[in-house]
Amino acid sequence: MSPHKLRHTYGTNLMKQSGDIHLLMTQLGHTSTTTAALYTNPEQEKAKKAIGFP
């Protein structure tokens, strides 16, 4: 378990529970909704990792 994995898990769970991207941005310190949007669909991110997409 790495700090990055813990942070990502927290962000994903927060997004699932609240559905509030602005809360997520505040909690994780993101300034861009594009970055925060990575937490809105974790299945898509898993698919990208599976095919080797960064």
Side-chain angles (χ1 to χ4, degrees):
M1 188 63 61
S2 69
H4 177 264
K5 183 66 176 172
L6 289 172
R7 176 183 165 88
H8 188 76
T9 301
Y10 172 75
T12 300
N13 289 336
L14 180 62
M15 195 61 200
K16 281 181 188 176
Q17 293 297 317
S18 72
D20 185 343
I21 197 161
H22 296 292
L23 174 62
L24 177 77
M25 289 173 65
T26 301
Q27 290 292 303
L28 297 182
H30 292 157
T31 57
S32 167
T33 55
T34 304
T35 304
L38 294 173
Y39 297 90
T40 60
N41 190 352
E43 295 305 315
Q44 184 177 4
E45 186 175 335
K46 286 179 189 177
K48 285 181 181 180
K49 285 183 180 180
I51 61 171
F53 192 79

Short mmCIF file of all heavy atoms in Angstrom, two decimals:
data_model
loop_
_atom_site.label_atom_id
_atom_site.label_comp_id
_atom_site.label_asym_id
_atom_site.label_seq_id
_atom_site.Cartn_x
_atom_site.Cartn_y
_atom_site.Cartn_z
N MET A 1 0.85 -1.17 0.00
CA MET A 1 0.00 0.00 0.00
C MET A 1 0.90 1.23 0.00
O MET A 1 1.78 1.35 0.82
CB MET A 1 -0.89 -0.04 1.24
CG MET A 1 -1.96 1.02 1.28
SD MET A 1 -3.23 1.00 0.02
CE MET A 1 -4.01 -0.56 0.27
N SER A 2 0.64 2.11 -0.92
CA SER A 2 1.43 3.34 -1.03
C SER A 2 0.57 4.56 -0.68
O SER A 2 -0.67 4.48 -0.70
CB SER A 2 1.95 3.50 -2.46
OG SER A 2 0.87 3.77 -3.34
N PRO A 3 1.21 5.69 -0.35
CA PRO A 3 0.44 6.90 -0.08
C PRO A 3 -0.45 7.30 -1.28
O PRO A 3 -1.58 7.75 -1.09
CB PRO A 3 1.51 7.96 0.18
CG PRO A 3 2.69 7.19 0.67
CD PRO A 3 2.63 5.88 -0.09
N HIS A 4 0.06 7.09 -2.48
CA HIS A 4 -0.73 7.42 -3.68
C HIS A 4 -1.99 6.57 -3.75
O HIS A 4 -3.08 7.06 -4.05
CB HIS A 4 0.11 7.23 -4.94
CG HIS A 4 -0.66 7.49 -6.19
ND1 HIS A 4 -1.25 6.49 -6.91
CD2 HIS A 4 -0.97 8.65 -6.81
CE1 HIS A 4 -1.89 7.02 -7.95
NE2 HIS A 4 -1.74 8.32 -7.91
N LYS A 5 -1.86 5.29 -3.47
CA LYS A 5 -3.01 4.38 -3.51
C LYS A 5 -4.04 4.76 -2.45
O LYS A 5 -5.24 4.76 -2.71
CB LYS A 5 -2.54 2.93 -3.31
CG LYS A 5 -3.65 1.91 -3.40
CD LYS A 5 -4.22 1.85 -4.79
CE LYS A 5 -5.26 0.75 -4.87
NZ LYS A 5 -5.97 0.78 -6.12
N LEU A 6 -3.56 5.11 -1.25
CA LEU A 6 -4.49 5.53 -0.19
C LEU A 6 -5.23 6.79 -0.59
O LEU A 6 -6.44 6.91 -0.38
CB LEU A 6 -3.73 5.76 1.11
CG LEU A 6 -3.21 4.51 1.80
CD1 LEU A 6 -2.31 4.89 2.97
CD2 LEU A 6 -4.34 3.62 2.25
N ARG A 7 -4.51 7.75 -1.15
CA ARG A 7 -5.13 9.01 -1.59
C ARG A 7 -6.16 8.75 -2.68
O ARG A 7 -7.26 9.30 -2.66
CB ARG A 7 -4.03 9.95 -2.09
CG ARG A 7 -4.53 11.26 -2.66
CD ARG A 7 -3.33 12.06 -3.20
NE ARG A 7 -3.74 13.14 -4.04
CZ ARG A 7 -4.04 14.36 -3.61
NH1 ARG A 7 -3.97 14.63 -2.33
NH2 ARG A 7 -4.40 15.29 -4.46
N HIS A 8 -5.80 7.91 -3.63
CA HIS A 8 -6.72 7.61 -4.73
C HIS A 8 -7.97 6.87 -4.22
O HIS A 8 -9.08 7.17 -4.65
CB HIS A 8 -6.01 6.79 -5.80
CG HIS A 8 -6.84 6.61 -7.02
ND1 HIS A 8 -7.02 7.62 -7.93
CD2 HIS A 8 -7.57 5.58 -7.45
CE1 HIS A 8 -7.83 7.20 -8.89
NE2 HIS A 8 -8.18 5.96 -8.62
N THR A 9 -7.77 5.94 -3.32
CA THR A 9 -8.90 5.22 -2.74
C THR A 9 -9.82 6.17 -1.99
O THR A 9 -11.05 6.10 -2.12
CB THR A 9 -8.41 4.10 -1.80
OG1 THR A 9 -7.59 3.21 -2.57
CG2 THR A 9 -9.56 3.33 -1.19
N TYR A 10 -9.24 7.09 -1.22
CA TYR A 10 -10.03 8.08 -0.51
C TYR A 10 -10.84 8.92 -1.50
O TYR A 10 -12.04 9.12 -1.32
CB TYR A 10 -9.12 8.98 0.34
CG TYR A 10 -9.85 10.15 0.93
CD1 TYR A 10 -10.71 9.97 2.01
CD2 TYR A 10 -9.69 11.43 0.42
CE1 TYR A 10 -11.39 11.05 2.56
CE2 TYR A 10 -10.37 12.51 0.96
CZ TYR A 10 -11.22 12.31 2.03
OH TYR A 10 -11.90 13.37 2.57
N GLY A 11 -10.18 9.42 -2.56
CA GLY A 11 -10.86 10.24 -3.55
C GLY A 11 -11.98 9.50 -4.26
O GLY A 11 -13.07 10.05 -4.46
N THR A 12 -11.73 8.27 -4.62
CA THR A 12 -12.74 7.47 -5.31
C THR A 12 -13.94 7.23 -4.40
O THR A 12 -15.10 7.39 -4.82
CB THR A 12 -12.14 6.13 -5.76
OG1 THR A 12 -11.06 6.39 -6.65
CG2 THR A 12 -13.17 5.28 -6.48
N ASN A 13 -13.68 6.87 -3.14
CA ASN A 13 -14.78 6.62 -2.21
C ASN A 13 -15.55 7.90 -1.88
O ASN A 13 -16.78 7.87 -1.78
CB ASN A 13 -14.26 5.97 -0.93
CG ASN A 13 -13.83 4.54 -1.15
OD1 ASN A 13 -14.29 3.88 -2.08
ND2 ASN A 13 -12.95 4.06 -0.32
N LEU A 14 -14.85 9.01 -1.74
CA LEU A 14 -15.51 10.28 -1.48
C LEU A 14 -16.44 10.64 -2.64
O LEU A 14 -17.57 11.08 -2.44
CB LEU A 14 -14.47 11.39 -1.27
CG LEU A 14 -15.02 12.79 -0.99
CD1 LEU A 14 -15.84 12.81 0.30
CD2 LEU A 14 -13.88 13.79 -0.93
N MET A 15 -15.97 10.42 -3.85
CA MET A 15 -16.78 10.75 -5.03
C MET A 15 -18.00 9.83 -5.11
O MET A 15 -19.10 10.28 -5.42
CB MET A 15 -15.93 10.65 -6.29
CG MET A 15 -16.53 11.27 -7.49
SD MET A 15 -16.79 13.03 -7.23
CE MET A 15 -18.00 13.31 -8.48
N LYS A 16 -17.82 8.55 -4.82
CA LYS A 16 -18.94 7.61 -4.83
C LYS A 16 -20.00 8.00 -3.81
O LYS A 16 -21.19 7.93 -4.08
CB LYS A 16 -18.46 6.19 -4.53
CG LYS A 16 -17.83 5.47 -5.68
CD LYS A 16 -17.44 4.08 -5.24
CE LYS A 16 -16.64 3.35 -6.29
NZ LYS A 16 -16.20 2.03 -5.81
N GLN A 17 -19.56 8.37 -2.61
CA GLN A 17 -20.48 8.66 -1.52
C GLN A 17 -21.16 10.02 -1.67
O GLN A 17 -22.35 10.14 -1.41
CB GLN A 17 -19.74 8.62 -0.18
CG GLN A 17 -19.25 7.25 0.20
CD GLN A 17 -20.37 6.25 0.39
OE1 GLN A 17 -21.39 6.56 0.99
NE2 GLN A 17 -20.19 5.05 -0.12
N SER A 18 -20.40 11.03 -2.08
CA SER A 18 -20.96 12.38 -2.10
C SER A 18 -21.45 12.82 -3.47
O SER A 18 -22.39 13.59 -3.58
CB SER A 18 -19.92 13.39 -1.59
OG SER A 18 -18.89 13.57 -2.56
N GLY A 19 -20.76 12.38 -4.52
CA GLY A 19 -21.10 12.83 -5.87
C GLY A 19 -20.78 14.30 -6.09
O GLY A 19 -21.20 14.89 -7.07
N ASP A 20 -20.01 14.90 -5.18
CA ASP A 20 -19.73 16.33 -5.22
C ASP A 20 -18.28 16.56 -5.65
O ASP A 20 -17.36 16.42 -4.86
CB ASP A 20 -19.97 16.92 -3.83
CG ASP A 20 -19.83 18.42 -3.78
OD1 ASP A 20 -19.25 19.01 -4.71
OD2 ASP A 20 -20.31 19.01 -2.79
N ILE A 21 -18.10 16.93 -6.92
CA ILE A 21 -16.76 17.11 -7.44
C ILE A 21 -16.04 18.29 -6.80
O ILE A 21 -14.83 18.28 -6.63
CB ILE A 21 -16.76 17.22 -8.98
CG1 ILE A 21 -15.36 16.98 -9.52
CG2 ILE A 21 -17.33 18.56 -9.43
CD1 ILE A 21 -15.29 16.61 -10.96
N HIS A 22 -16.79 19.30 -6.37
CA HIS A 22 -16.16 20.45 -5.71
C HIS A 22 -15.62 20.07 -4.33
O HIS A 22 -14.55 20.53 -3.94
CB HIS A 22 -17.14 21.62 -5.64
CG HIS A 22 -17.52 22.13 -6.99
ND1 HIS A 22 -16.63 22.77 -7.82
CD2 HIS A 22 -18.67 22.04 -7.68
CE1 HIS A 22 -17.23 23.07 -8.95
NE2 HIS A 22 -18.47 22.64 -8.90
N LEU A 23 -16.34 19.23 -3.62
CA LEU A 23 -15.85 18.72 -2.34
C LEU A 23 -14.58 17.91 -2.57
O LEU A 23 -13.59 18.06 -1.85
CB LEU A 23 -16.91 17.87 -1.66
CG LEU A 23 -16.49 17.15 -0.38
CD1 LEU A 23 -16.08 18.14 0.70
CD2 LEU A 23 -17.60 16.24 0.10
N LEU A 24 -14.60 17.07 -3.57
CA LEU A 24 -13.43 16.26 -3.90
C LEU A 24 -12.23 17.14 -4.22
O LEU A 24 -11.13 16.91 -3.72
CB LEU A 24 -13.74 15.34 -5.09
CG LEU A 24 -12.57 14.50 -5.57
CD1 LEU A 24 -12.34 13.33 -4.64
CD2 LEU A 24 -12.80 14.02 -6.98
N MET A 25 -12.46 18.18 -5.01
CA MET A 25 -11.37 19.09 -5.38
C MET A 25 -10.79 19.76 -4.14
O MET A 25 -9.56 19.88 -4.01
CB MET A 25 -11.86 20.14 -6.37
CG MET A 25 -12.15 19.57 -7.74
SD MET A 25 -12.92 20.77 -8.84
CE MET A 25 -11.61 21.97 -9.01
N THR A 26 -11.65 20.16 -3.23
CA THR A 26 -11.20 20.81 -2.00
C THR A 26 -10.39 19.84 -1.14
O THR A 26 -9.31 20.18 -0.66
CB THR A 26 -12.40 21.34 -1.20
OG1 THR A 26 -13.12 22.27 -2.01
CG2 THR A 26 -11.96 22.01 0.08
N GLN A 27 -10.91 18.65 -0.97
CA GLN A 27 -10.26 17.67 -0.11
C GLN A 27 -8.89 17.23 -0.64
O GLN A 27 -7.97 17.00 0.13
CB GLN A 27 -11.16 16.44 0.07
CG GLN A 27 -12.38 16.70 0.90
CD GLN A 27 -12.03 16.98 2.34
OE1 GLN A 27 -11.38 16.18 2.99
NE2 GLN A 27 -12.43 18.13 2.83
N LEU A 28 -8.78 17.10 -1.96
CA LEU A 28 -7.54 16.61 -2.54
C LEU A 28 -6.62 17.72 -3.03
O LEU A 28 -5.50 17.46 -3.48
CB LEU A 28 -7.83 15.63 -3.69
CG LEU A 28 -8.56 14.35 -3.29
CD1 LEU A 28 -8.75 13.46 -4.51
CD2 LEU A 28 -7.83 13.61 -2.19
N GLY A 29 -7.09 18.96 -2.98
CA GLY A 29 -6.26 20.08 -3.38
C GLY A 29 -6.14 20.26 -4.88
O GLY A 29 -5.19 20.87 -5.35
N HIS A 30 -7.10 19.76 -5.62
CA HIS A 30 -7.08 19.92 -7.07
C HIS A 30 -7.62 21.30 -7.46
O HIS A 30 -8.54 21.80 -6.83
CB HIS A 30 -7.93 18.85 -7.76
CG HIS A 30 -7.38 17.48 -7.64
ND1 HIS A 30 -8.16 16.37 -7.75
CD2 HIS A 30 -6.13 17.03 -7.42
CE1 HIS A 30 -7.41 15.28 -7.61
NE2 HIS A 30 -6.17 15.67 -7.40
N THR A 31 -7.03 21.87 -8.50
CA THR A 31 -7.52 23.15 -9.01
C THR A 31 -8.24 22.97 -10.33
O THR A 31 -8.88 23.89 -10.82
CB THR A 31 -6.37 24.15 -9.18
OG1 THR A 31 -5.38 23.58 -10.04
CG2 THR A 31 -5.74 24.50 -7.84
N SER A 32 -8.15 21.79 -10.90
CA SER A 32 -8.75 21.52 -12.20
C SER A 32 -9.81 20.44 -12.08
O SER A 32 -9.57 19.38 -11.48
CB SER A 32 -7.66 21.05 -13.18
OG SER A 32 -8.23 20.50 -14.33
N THR A 33 -10.97 20.69 -12.67
CA THR A 33 -12.01 19.66 -12.67
C THR A 33 -11.59 18.47 -13.53
O THR A 33 -12.05 17.36 -13.31
CB THR A 33 -13.36 20.21 -13.17
OG1 THR A 33 -13.18 20.79 -14.44
CG2 THR A 33 -13.93 21.21 -12.19
N THR A 34 -10.72 18.71 -14.49
CA THR A 34 -10.23 17.62 -15.34
C THR A 34 -9.47 16.59 -14.50
O THR A 34 -9.66 15.39 -14.66
CB THR A 34 -9.31 18.16 -16.45
OG1 THR A 34 -10.03 19.14 -17.20
CG2 THR A 34 -8.85 17.05 -17.38
N THR A 35 -8.63 17.08 -13.62
CA THR A 35 -7.88 16.18 -12.74
C THR A 35 -8.83 15.47 -11.79
O THR A 35 -8.75 14.25 -11.59
CB THR A 35 -6.83 16.96 -11.94
OG1 THR A 35 -5.99 17.66 -12.84
CG2 THR A 35 -5.99 16.04 -11.08
N ALA A 36 -9.74 16.21 -11.19
CA ALA A 36 -10.69 15.63 -10.24
C ALA A 36 -11.61 14.62 -10.93
O ALA A 36 -12.06 13.67 -10.30
CB ALA A 36 -11.50 16.73 -9.58
N ALA A 37 -11.88 14.82 -12.20
CA ALA A 37 -12.79 13.93 -12.93
C ALA A 37 -12.25 12.51 -13.03
O ALA A 37 -13.01 11.57 -13.27
CB ALA A 37 -13.07 14.49 -14.33
N LEU A 38 -10.96 12.31 -12.81
CA LEU A 38 -10.41 10.96 -12.83
C LEU A 38 -11.05 10.07 -11.77
O LEU A 38 -11.06 8.86 -11.88
CB LEU A 38 -8.89 10.99 -12.60
CG LEU A 38 -8.07 11.66 -13.69
CD1 LEU A 38 -6.62 11.77 -13.24
CD2 LEU A 38 -8.17 10.89 -14.99
N TYR A 39 -11.59 10.69 -10.74
CA TYR A 39 -12.21 9.95 -9.64
C TYR A 39 -13.69 9.67 -9.88
O TYR A 39 -14.32 8.98 -9.09
CB TYR A 39 -12.04 10.73 -8.33
CG TYR A 39 -10.60 10.88 -7.95
CD1 TYR A 39 -9.86 11.98 -8.38
CD2 TYR A 39 -9.96 9.92 -7.18
CE1 TYR A 39 -8.53 12.12 -8.05
CE2 TYR A 39 -8.62 10.05 -6.84
CZ TYR A 39 -7.92 11.15 -7.27
OH TYR A 39 -6.59 11.28 -6.95
N THR A 40 -14.25 10.19 -10.96
CA THR A 40 -15.68 10.01 -11.20
C THR A 40 -15.99 8.67 -11.85
O THR A 40 -17.10 8.19 -11.74
CB THR A 40 -16.25 11.13 -12.08
OG1 THR A 40 -15.59 11.12 -13.34
CG2 THR A 40 -16.09 12.48 -11.41
N ASN A 41 -15.02 8.08 -12.53
CA ASN A 41 -15.25 6.80 -13.18
C ASN A 41 -14.03 5.91 -13.01
O ASN A 41 -13.23 5.77 -13.92
CB ASN A 41 -15.57 7.01 -14.67
CG ASN A 41 -16.04 5.74 -15.33
OD1 ASN A 41 -16.00 4.67 -14.73
ND2 ASN A 41 -16.48 5.84 -16.56
N PRO A 42 -13.88 5.28 -11.83
CA PRO A 42 -12.69 4.46 -11.60
C PRO A 42 -12.58 3.26 -12.51
O PRO A 42 -11.49 2.79 -12.79
CB PRO A 42 -12.85 4.04 -10.14
CG PRO A 42 -14.28 4.20 -9.82
CD PRO A 42 -14.79 5.30 -10.71
N GLU A 43 -13.70 2.76 -13.03
CA GLU A 43 -13.64 1.62 -13.94
C GLU A 43 -12.90 1.98 -15.22
O GLU A 43 -12.16 1.18 -15.77
CB GLU A 43 -15.04 1.10 -14.25
CG GLU A 43 -15.76 0.54 -13.04
CD GLU A 43 -14.99 -0.56 -12.32
OE1 GLU A 43 -14.44 -1.46 -12.99
OE2 GLU A 43 -14.91 -0.50 -11.09
N GLN A 44 -13.09 3.19 -15.69
CA GLN A 44 -12.40 3.65 -16.89
C GLN A 44 -10.89 3.71 -16.62
O GLN A 44 -10.09 3.32 -17.46
CB GLN A 44 -12.91 5.01 -17.32
CG GLN A 44 -12.30 5.50 -18.61
CD GLN A 44 -12.89 6.83 -19.05
OE1 GLN A 44 -13.70 7.43 -18.36
NE2 GLN A 44 -12.48 7.28 -20.20
N GLU A 45 -10.51 4.17 -15.45
CA GLU A 45 -9.10 4.23 -15.10
C GLU A 45 -8.50 2.83 -15.02
O GLU A 45 -7.39 2.59 -15.49
CB GLU A 45 -8.91 4.96 -13.78
CG GLU A 45 -7.46 5.17 -13.46
CD GLU A 45 -7.24 5.98 -12.21
OE1 GLU A 45 -8.11 6.77 -11.84
OE2 GLU A 45 -6.17 5.80 -11.61
N LYS A 46 -9.23 1.88 -14.45
CA LYS A 46 -8.74 0.51 -14.37
C LYS A 46 -8.53 -0.07 -15.77
O LYS A 46 -7.55 -0.76 -16.02
CB LYS A 46 -9.73 -0.36 -13.60
CG LYS A 46 -9.75 -0.11 -12.12
CD LYS A 46 -10.78 -1.01 -11.45
CE LYS A 46 -10.97 -0.66 -10.01
NZ LYS A 46 -12.03 -1.46 -9.38
N ALA A 47 -9.43 0.22 -16.69
CA ALA A 47 -9.31 -0.25 -18.05
C ALA A 47 -8.07 0.32 -18.72
O ALA A 47 -7.34 -0.38 -19.43
CB ALA A 47 -10.57 0.08 -18.86
N LYS A 48 -7.81 1.61 -18.50
CA LYS A 48 -6.61 2.24 -19.08
C LYS A 48 -5.34 1.59 -18.55
O LYS A 48 -4.41 1.33 -19.30
CB LYS A 48 -6.59 3.73 -18.76
CG LYS A 48 -7.56 4.54 -19.57
CD LYS A 48 -7.44 6.02 -19.19
CE LYS A 48 -8.41 6.88 -19.95
NZ LYS A 48 -8.28 8.29 -19.57
N LYS A 49 -5.30 1.31 -17.24
CA LYS A 49 -4.13 0.67 -16.66
C LYS A 49 -3.93 -0.73 -17.22
O LYS A 49 -2.81 -1.18 -17.43
CB LYS A 49 -4.25 0.63 -15.14
CG LYS A 49 -4.00 1.97 -14.49
CD LYS A 49 -4.06 1.84 -12.98
CE LYS A 49 -3.80 3.18 -12.34
NZ LYS A 49 -3.85 3.12 -10.88
N ALA A 50 -5.03 -1.43 -17.45
CA ALA A 50 -4.96 -2.79 -17.95
C ALA A 50 -4.32 -2.86 -19.34
O ALA A 50 -3.65 -3.84 -19.67
CB ALA A 50 -6.34 -3.42 -17.98
N ILE A 51 -4.51 -1.80 -20.13
CA ILE A 51 -3.93 -1.80 -21.49
C ILE A 51 -2.59 -1.06 -21.54
O ILE A 51 -2.02 -0.89 -22.61
CB ILE A 51 -4.89 -1.23 -22.53
CG1 ILE A 51 -5.24 0.22 -22.23
CG2 ILE A 51 -6.13 -2.10 -22.64
CD1 ILE A 51 -6.02 0.91 -23.36
N GLY A 52 -2.12 -0.59 -20.38
CA GLY A 52 -0.83 0.06 -20.32
C GLY A 52 -0.86 1.55 -20.63
O GLY A 52 0.16 2.17 -20.88
N PHE A 53 -2.04 2.16 -20.62
CA PHE A 53 -2.17 3.59 -20.87
C PHE A 53 -1.84 4.34 -19.58
O PHE A 53 -2.36 4.00 -18.53
CB PHE A 53 -3.61 3.91 -21.30
CG PHE A 53 -3.80 5.29 -21.85
CD1 PHE A 53 -3.45 5.59 -23.15
CD2 PHE A 53 -4.33 6.29 -21.05
CE1 PHE A 53 -3.62 6.86 -23.66
CE2 PHE A 53 -4.51 7.57 -21.55
CZ PHE A 53 -4.15 7.86 -22.86
N PRO A 54 -0.95 5.33 -19.66
CA PRO A 54 -0.54 6.03 -18.43
C PRO A 54 -1.63 6.78 -17.73
O PRO A 54 -2.58 7.20 -18.17
CB PRO A 54 0.53 7.00 -18.89
CG PRO A 54 0.55 6.98 -20.37
CD PRO A 54 -0.32 5.86 -20.83
#
